[in-house]
Amino acid sequence: AQSVTQLGSHVSVSEGALVLLRCNYSSSVPPYLFWYVQYPNQGLQLLLKYTSAATLVKGINGFEAEFKKSETSFHLTKPSAHMSDAAEYFCAVSSGGSYIPTFGRGTSLIVHP
Amino acid sequence: GAGVSQSPSNKVTEKGKDVELRCDPISGHTALYWYRQSLGQGLEFLIYFQGNSAPDKSGLPSDRFSAERTGGSVSTLTIQRTQQEDSAVYLCASSFGMGGYEQYFGPGTRLTVT
């Protein structure tokens, strides 16, 4: 069985501040992990993914995430928030068996000027 | 190249009517997924196809929901006798395969049942 927990349904930061969106997963086998972003009235778009090649994964728009097996975490970070980063962010896990991705409930990132 | 497309983009229907939602995946993508997204509820998995086959239909909310995929390409999600609780955004995604492959999402169909 696999599951994803995103801590915080809303995260609010000031423009230029550090962004940290938390994701913890549960999987009985080594997982694939993903972060997606959804802008209003659009579908989801891949930010980055972990497929065991490297624990620190860099994605688009300056985002990165670090896979920590001991903490079962895959938190998303960005050093300096921009107004255009305001969106909904989803963490997803895909692991053994059917490999159907399971998504977290999402975190809404709010960026204040 | 063309991304995943869905039609219609918006659908308003009366309770009890049937609706069909269409998804055109990226050419060559063997896996296709349907999700339902309700406000504040994240993504609810409905069904996936590998080729034209749907190995796991357990995510469909009720027997009013059905889906098919033909020619390893276009998929339709049908909801019979719609209810107000069916109101949501229905998202389709496709990928090259299962596992570590990223999903490409369409813009969704917003269904409103009045």
Side-chain angles (χ1 to χ4, degrees), chain A residues 72-93:
Chain A
T72 61
S73 69
F74 191 57
H75 301 331
L76 182 71
T77 60
K78 182 174 180 177
S80 177
H82 192 274
M83 296 295 290
S84 61
D85 294 327
E88 190 83 13
Y89 291 81
F90 292 92
C91 181
V93 62

Side-chain angles (χ1 to χ4, degrees), chain B residues 27-109:
Chain B
S27 177
H29 281 192
T30 60
L32 184 147
Y33 310 78
W34 283 99
Y35 295 89
R36 180 166 70 176
Q37 185 175 29
S38 303
L39 193 61
Q41 296 299 313
L43 270 69
E44 176 188 4
F45 168 75
L46 299 178
I47 191 170
Y48 86 100
F49 291 88
Q50 185 63 24
N52 292 331
S53 173
D56 183 1
K57 300 181 180 180
S58 62
L60 294 175
S62 74
D63 58 8
R64 297 185 295 104
F65 287 71
S66 63
E68 66 174 11
R69 188 180 185 192
T70 56
S73 181
V74 173
S75 176
T76 55
L77 176 69
T78 301
I79 309 173
Q80 295 178 309
R81 304 180 303 281
T82 52
Q83 303 295 312
Q84 288 188 330
E85 60 263 28
D86 299 334
S87 296
V89 175
Y90 289 81
L91 292 169
C92 174
S94 69
S95 66
F96 277 115
M98 309 291 288
Y101 294 98
E102 70 180 270
Q103 293 174 298
Y104 293 79
F105 283 81
T109 293

Side-chain angles (χ1 to χ4, degrees), chain A residues 29-103:
Chain A
V29 298
Y32 298 109
L33 294 161
F34 307 82
W35 275 100
Y36 289 86
V37 61
Q38 184 179 32
Y39 298 102
N41 300 314
Q42 295 184 27
L44 280 69
Q45 172 186 351
L46 183 74
L47 274 177
L48 49 80
K49 66 178 181 181
Y50 166 77
T51 58
S52 78
T55 57
L56 182 62
V57 182
K58 294 187 183 298
I60 63 172
N61 302 338
F63 284 94
E64 63 181 37
E66 185 172 8
F67 172 70
K68 292 187 176 181
K69 183 178 178 181
S70 60
E71 299 177 7
T72 61
S73 69
F74 191 57
H75 301 331
L76 182 71
T77 60
K78 182 174 180 177
S80 177
H82 192 274
M83 296 295 290
S84 61
D85 294 327
E88 190 83 13
Y89 291 81
F90 292 92
C91 181
V93 62
S94 172
S95 61
S98 64
Y99 285 105
I100 300 171
T102 297
F103 285 79

